[in-house]
Amino acid sequence: MQDKNKNEIYEGDIVKRGNGPKEIGKIEKGYGQFYCIFGNAENNPMPINAESWEWEIIGNIYQNKELIK
């Protein structure tokens, strides 16, 4: 899976969802698929294969922890 700038998305990336409300979340992997977790929504992950959303990588959890609160 790639973001809107053609960068590969990996577990631990911090992404912004571009269409609709601009939300920031972190990427996790489970069941062979990547998911985005927004804020404290650990129980409601969103699969990132939804083509109706434009994803953009804005950092990662190792170098940009301040982006996720």
Side-chain angles (χ1 to χ4, degrees):
M1 179 74 189
Q2 295 178 335
D3 75 351
K4 71 178 193 173
N5 299 314
K6 305 293 185 211
N7 297 310
E8 283 295 320
I9 295 176
Y10 295 102
E11 186 172 14
D13 282 342
I14 299 171
V15 295
K16 179 173 60 172
R17 183 169 73 169
N19 292 352
K22 299 211 183 305
E23 296 181 276
I24 295 175
K26 63 181 176 178
I27 299 298
E28 294 185 2
K29 189 173 183 179
Y31 303 105
Q33 184 173 354
F34 287 111
Y35 292 90
C36 187
I37 306 293
F38 295 105
N40 294 327
E42 296 283 334
N43 295 333
N44 193 18
M46 171 183 262
I48 65 165
N49 61 358
E51 293 184 14
S52 59
W53 298 103
E54 285 189 4
W55 301 97
E56 181 179 11
I57 299 170
I58 59 172
N60 65 60
I61 60 171
Y62 309 105
Q63 298 174 333
N64 310 99
K65 292 179 184 178
E66 72 279 0
L67 294 175
I68 297 290
K69 296 183 184 192

